[in-house]
Amino acid sequence: MRLELISFKLCPFVQRSVITLLHKNAPFDITYIELAEPPAWFLEISPFGKVPALRVDDDTVLFESAIINEFIDDVTPDSLSPEDPLLRARNRGWIQFGEQCIVDQYQLTTAKDEETWDEVLERAHRNLAKVEAILGDGPYFNGAELSLVDAAYAPLFMRYALLREHADLMPAEDFPRLRAWSDALLALPEVHKSVVDDFPELFADYLREHGDYAASILAPATSA
């Protein structure tokens, strides 16, 4: 089975799938595109015009990171999904909630003014607190075993960690379990290797280009 992941270098949703592929030792190719000017062939295969898209054996295309990750998990050994149907459903729900946390983060890093920054930061913290409240003792979401939920949240944690030098947006005193979970995930080689080598610089450049008010606070944290 040939797997080709269509990617944008800064996309956290693509990173979710890269982490899963790397953890499962699944051979894959990756093709990078520019979302600002997507090629025509990509728009033909991606219904939403978003990454990631996973081309399977050159003729079938899957989209949406959560669905791609479930497929990868289904066709490779050592499942990252709980056997218990109730726990598996709970995992799916928190994976979906993680999408909102990523949206919060994106809107925060692209805030154009202080009012927007304050509003989004309050919402981001409110949503992070919901995840903090349901976490166990770790080190991962389900305890000792890594799962698809961990792959879903690792990109969020990587970006908060990059921003921490000048703005700790997920402080340990407020989110101790989230920070412990983050530390455990960011220590994994599959998470470390899930982005391009110059990701911190690319992320900083993106903030400076799109962040306006947010960039004045956050960009120095990711400067080379």
Side-chain angles (χ1 to χ4, degrees):
M1 181 186 300
R2 181 176 183 269
L3 302 177
E4 179 192 8
L5 192 66
I6 315 301
S7 175
F8 172 62
K9 290 181 179 179
L10 289 173
C11 179
F13 296 103
V14 171
Q15 190 182 356
R16 288 171 151 192
S17 296
V18 176
I19 291 168
T20 304
L21 286 160
L22 291 174
H23 180 79
K24 302 302 288 283
N25 293 312
F28 70 100
D29 297 314
I30 190 162
T31 299
Y32 295 106
I33 65 168
E34 288 295 336
L35 281 183
E37 297 181 0
W41 62 262
F42 173 74
L43 296 177
E44 290 176 1
I45 67 172
S46 177
F48 293 124
K50 301 189 300 185
V51 291
L54 182 70
R55 189 148 41 189
V56 183
D57 289 335
D58 298 321
D59 55 8
T60 301
V61 177
L62 304 178
F63 53 95
E64 295 296 312
S65 63
I67 293 168
I68 289 171
N69 283 4
E70 286 195 8
F71 169 76
I72 296 166
D73 197 37
D74 285 341
V75 299
T76 54
D78 302 322
S79 179
L80 290 172
S81 300
E83 291 186 8
D84 178 73
L86 183 59
L87 182 56
R88 188 163 63 245
R90 181 176 183 265
N91 277 207
R92 285 185 176 131
W94 286 105
I95 287 171
Q96 185 170 349
F97 188 77
E99 295 183 9
Q100 180 57 54
C101 294
I102 289 174
V103 170
D104 293 341
Q105 185 183 72
Y106 169 76
Q107 293 180 345
L108 188 63
T109 57
T110 57
K112 303 298 184 184
D113 52 59
E114 185 176 5
E115 181 180 0
T116 303
W117 168 274
D118 290 343
E119 177 184 339
V120 177
L121 182 59
E122 180 181 358
R123 184 178 73 232
H125 281 173
R126 188 165 62 246
N127 286 332
L128 288 174
K130 293 176 182 178
V131 186
E132 173 78 19
I134 57 91
L135 288 176
D137 294 331
Y140 306 123
F141 185 83
N142 289 328
E145 300 298 325
L146 201 74
S147 71
L148 292 177
V149 188
D150 299 292
Y153 280 81
L156 177 83
F157 296 149
M158 179 177 283
R159 286 155 181 77
Y160 276 136
L162 283 172
L163 300 170
R164 195 170 295 154
E165 180 183 350
H166 286 259
D168 191 351
L169 304 176
M170 196 177 72
E173 59 267 26
D174 296 328
F175 306 106
R177 292 187 175 184
L178 278 172
R179 282 291 290 272
W181 185 23
S182 171
D183 291 345
L185 291 179
L186 296 182
L188 296 174
E190 57 264 48
V191 174
H192 178 72
K193 296 176 182 178
S194 62
V195 293
V196 294
D197 291 340
D198 58 346
F199 178 81
E201 292 78 18
L202 292 174
F203 188 44
D205 290 343
Y206 186 88
L207 291 176
R208 285 190 286 267
E209 184 176 349
H210 297 88
D212 287 1
Y213 178 81
S216 68
I217 301 171
L218 302 176
T222 54
S223 297

